[in-house]
């Protein structure tokens, strides 16, 4: 298990595939760790160098005191990129990972070759919603949000057919450190990447699950319309985490997008 000390914390990461292959870097969602990409990475490692990490407050990474900002997350990710000495990166960001991907582009556009923004937006929900969620978690813990979160994360058919996987995802969510969850909630609450989205000049693919209850298709489409020449695609029968529900389709969309843009 590789760890790296950056910005006075320890970050857990994994670097797989051939070191001289095109680089894909994954940044995952609130309340998850980098295992959510397992099904996607399995189909990429033969042709790409694949980097994943647990952002601060999540997984096996350190959990500093809240609040956090998107800039904090971007600085952590930048330190990983510098340590691994990678460039010409395709960044895949899911939910808050999409905000981090946009933030990384705003600070270091020359590092990035392409961006895939999955189930995310330039601004996610309202300050009141995030403040209410933070208050609930402070008082009652993550268990109070777990059932509603699973409804937003996964499609109706997934709930009916994959009870074991659903319970595993729920376990991952409720075991997220409360401080890490709240810290990242504040980062999302305070983030508005509208001006960044309007000025992205690399190829961008915007993806969303058809049953996403956190960032519905119309929200992701709105972001896509801000980004010059971006592509937009809806993944049917999927909620907020299509990398878990539809990993093969998710992977195929990434690879075809990179082919179309002569990146792979």
């Amino acid at each position: 298990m590789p760890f790296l000390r950056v910005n006075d914390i320890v970050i857990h990461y994994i670097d797989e595939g051939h070191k001289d292959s095109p680089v894909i870097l994954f940044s995952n969602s609130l309340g998850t760790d980098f295992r959510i990409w397992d099904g996607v990475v399995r189909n990429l490692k033969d042709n790409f160098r694949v980097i994943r990490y647990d952002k601060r407050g999540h997984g096996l990474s350190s959990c500093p005191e809240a609040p956090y900002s998107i800039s904090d997350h971007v600085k952590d990710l930048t330190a990983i990129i510098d340590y691994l000495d990678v460039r010409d990166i395709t960044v895949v960001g899911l939910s808050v990972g999409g905000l981090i991907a946009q933030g990384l582009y705003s600070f270091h556009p020359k590092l990035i070759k392409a961006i895939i923004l999955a189930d995310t937006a330039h601004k996610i929900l309202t300050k009141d919603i995030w403040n209410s969620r933070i208050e609930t978690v402070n008082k009652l813990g993550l268990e109070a949000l777990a059932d509603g979160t699973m409804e937003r994360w996964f499609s109706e058919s997934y709930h009916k057919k994959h009870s074991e996987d659903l319970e595993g995802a729920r376990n991952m969510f409720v075991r997220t450190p409360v401080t890490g969850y709240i810290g990242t909630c504040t980062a999302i609450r305070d983030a508005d990447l509208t001006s960044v989205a309007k000025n992205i000049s690399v190829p961008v693919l915007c993806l969303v699950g058809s049953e996403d209850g956190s960032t519905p298709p119309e929200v992701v489409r709105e972001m896509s319309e801000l980004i010059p020449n971006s592509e937009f695609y809806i993944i049917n029968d999927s909620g907020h985490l299509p990398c878990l529900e539809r990993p093969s389709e998710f992977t195929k969309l990434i690879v075809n997008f990179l082919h179309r843009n002569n990146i792979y």
Side-chain angles (χ1 to χ4, degrees):
M1 295 187 294
F3 294 90
L4 177 65
R5 186 171 296 280
V6 303
N7 304 319
D8 298 320
I9 64 171
V10 169
I11 292 289
H12 180 219
Y13 73 96
I14 187 167
D15 180 9
E16 302 174 281
H18 302 289
K19 296 297 183 281
D20 57 351
S21 296
V23 178
I24 301 182
L25 188 153
F26 291 90
S27 185
N28 42 281
S29 55
L30 176 67
T32 69
D33 58 51
F34 69 53
R35 289 175 294 181
I36 67 168
W37 302 109
D38 283 352
V40 175
V41 170
R42 190 177 300 121
N43 299 315
L44 293 174
K45 288 189 291 184
D46 288 343
N47 297 301
F48 294 92
R49 180 177 181 179
V50 182
I51 299 165
R52 296 178 283 165
Y53 73 104
D54 290 334
K55 61 185 165 290
R56 60 171 58 203
H58 289 70
L60 300 185
S61 292
S62 298
C63 185
E65 289 301 312
Y68 312 155
S69 68
I70 293 299
S71 293
D72 291 330
H73 287 298
V74 169
K75 289 174 183 175
D76 295 341
L77 182 52
T78 302
I80 298 170
I81 290 168
D82 288 344
Y83 175 76
L84 296 176
D85 192 25
V86 290
R87 299 292 184 272
D88 296 328
I89 303 163
T90 295
V91 184
V92 183
L94 174 66
S95 196
V96 66
L99 293 174
I100 295 168
Q102 292 172 74
L104 180 65
Y105 179 86
S106 71
F107 284 104
H108 305 287
K110 293 183 179 179
L111 291 176
I112 297 178
K113 196 81 168 178
I115 305 174
I116 290 94
L117 297 174
D119 300 83
T120 187
H122 50 290
K123 182 171 177 59
I124 300 175
L125 302 176
T126 67
K127 290 185 182 294
D128 287 345
I129 290 173
W130 289 113
N131 287 335
S132 175
R133 189 173 297 185
I134 290 167
E135 182 180 3
T136 297
V137 174
N138 263 322
K139 290 180 178 179
L140 303 174
L142 283 168
E143 187 68 39
L145 300 181
D147 290 342
T149 298
M150 294 306 106
E151 289 179 7
R152 294 189 295 272
W153 276 11
F154 298 107
S155 66
E156 183 177 352
S157 63
Y158 195 86
H159 277 262
K160 292 177 179 178
K161 298 176 183 178
H162 298 276
S163 59
E164 296 88 354
D165 295 327
L166 186 69
E167 184 170 345
R170 193 182 193 280
N171 291 341
M172 176 177 57
F173 175 75
V174 298
R175 293 173 188 174
T176 302
V178 166
T179 298
Y181 185 88
I182 289 174
T184 301
C185 281
T186 62
I188 303 170
R189 179 195 66 192
D190 298 338
D192 187 342
L193 283 298
T194 304
S195 61
V196 175
K198 290 179 179 179
N199 289 284
I200 297 175
S201 60
V202 298
V204 177
L205 173 63
C206 299
L207 303 174
V208 62
S210 60
E211 297 180 41
D212 186 337
S214 297
T215 52
E218 59 269 23
V219 171
V220 181
R221 187 189 297 275
E222 180 184 350
M223 174 187 63
S224 179
E225 290 173 351
L226 291 175
I227 301 171
N229 303 312
S230 70
E231 301 180 33
F232 174 76
Y233 189 87
I234 296 175
I235 300 174
N236 289 325
D237 300 316
S238 178
H240 190 57
L241 303 180
C243 55
L244 285 177
E245 284 202 68
R246 303 287 178 185
S248 295
E249 183 175 357
F250 196 98
T251 306
K252 184 177 180 180
L253 288 167
I254 291 174
V255 172
N256 288 346
F257 169 71
L258 296 181
H259 273 305
R260 286 195 300 276
N261 288 280
N262 299 312
I263 295 169
Y264 166 69

